[in-house]
Amino acid sequence: MSSENPSFTRRLEQARRLLALAQTGLHYTTGIFDKERYDEIATIAHEQIAEIASMETGKVAELFAFESGYANPKLDVRCAVFNEAGQILLVQEAADGLWSLPGGWADVGLSPAENAAKEVREESGYTVEIVRLLAAWDTAKHCHPPSVFHIWKLVFLGKVLHAGEKIGEETDAVGFFSLNDLPALSLGRIMPGQIRRLDELRRGADVDFD
């Protein structure tokens, strides 16, 4: 998917909103005919997203199959961990071979901070103390590649307590990197400018938010 064309981005946003309206309508409606109408709207939205994203309609429907209830943005929780040399901890994503901050979708039953610490431990092997929240970003307001989901991203500052072995299967490698020599990043997850901003934020007391 390309994010260069404003018309492209707007069409994707409209299709996501249409799907959210259908999902919310299906959650609240009690009428058989209303349910049929909302199902039809959801199908149209799936087709629109599939066309925009160059995906199969069935694949889009599969992605949203477990999205039910009142429609909300997806919550992506990540952790920025710096060592004494000012290098940042990154993990290599098995899905695309690119690098990112440890993190992922928030799990039910854990707080955002607990999610961040769990993701670091599973994806890198490091046990961290969560120090504070650094940023709360709406990915649609940044230059991430367009996504079929509307995503909010929370980034916490983590402090290493001790190292261990990686226990997850979603990452292939882990390392600390200089901000001036970052590896190829998974831009849907994190961008170079955001990493530099997180470095600025950790040195002060501000929280960056959209």
Side-chain angles (χ1 to χ4, degrees):
M1 292 187 289
S2 171
S3 59
E4 298 297 326
N5 189 338
S7 175
F8 173 94
T9 303
R10 178 169 175 76
R11 286 172 58 213
L12 181 59
E13 179 183 352
Q14 289 174 334
R16 285 195 310 230
R17 290 176 62 187
L18 186 65
L19 185 55
L21 289 171
Q23 180 181 323
T24 300
L26 286 168
H27 176 66
Y28 285 111
T29 188
T30 57
I32 295 177
F33 297 113
D34 284 339
K35 183 181 184 301
E36 290 178 350
R37 294 186 184 97
Y38 285 124
D39 278 330
E40 183 177 358
I41 292 172
T43 299
I44 292 171
H46 289 158
E47 293 172 351
Q48 289 180 338
I49 292 173
E51 180 182 354
I52 295 166
S54 299
M55 298 171 62
E56 295 181 1
T57 302
K59 179 62 176 178
V60 175
E62 182 181 327
L63 285 173
F64 285 92
F66 297 103
E67 302 295 316
S68 61
Y70 188 89
N72 293 296
K74 300 278 282 184
L75 186 60
D76 179 25
V77 179
R78 303 212 166 252
C79 191
V81 181
F82 295 85
N83 63 16
E84 293 182 355
Q87 297 173 313
I88 191 163
L89 178 68
L90 298 177
V91 294
Q92 187 178 38
E93 299 285 347
D96 57 16
L98 302 174
W99 295 77
S100 179
L101 301 179
W105 299 135
D107 290 333
V108 173
L110 298 177
S111 72
E114 289 169 340
N115 267 283
K118 179 183 75 71
E119 292 289 339
V120 175
R121 185 177 67 257
E122 290 181 350
E123 295 187 354
S124 74
Y126 287 92
T127 297
V128 299
E129 172 190 357
I130 300 301
V131 179
R132 63 185 180 89
L133 180 67
L134 293 180
W137 289 324
D138 181 343
T139 59
K141 297 184 180 298
H142 297 260
C143 295
H144 294 280
S147 168
V148 296
F149 296 114
H150 185 182
I151 301 169
W152 290 354
K153 188 182 300 291
L154 299 183
V155 186
F156 290 87
L157 178 63
K159 177 182 177 182
V160 173
L161 297 178
H162 58 80
E165 293 187 3
K166 179 172 71 73
I167 60 175
E169 298 181 352
E170 297 179 356
T171 54
D172 291 332
V174 57
F176 280 93
F177 295 87
S178 166
L179 272 62
N180 295 321
D181 190 24
L182 295 172
L185 297 177
S186 182
L187 299 180
R189 297 177 173 89
I190 197 68
M191 297 183 298
Q194 291 174 323
I195 289 180
R196 291 191 291 271
R197 178 57 177 151
L198 293 169
D199 184 49
E200 294 173 356
L201 291 166
R202 76 180 176 100
R203 300 172 188 273
D206 293 338
V207 177
D208 201 0
F209 60 89
D210 293 322

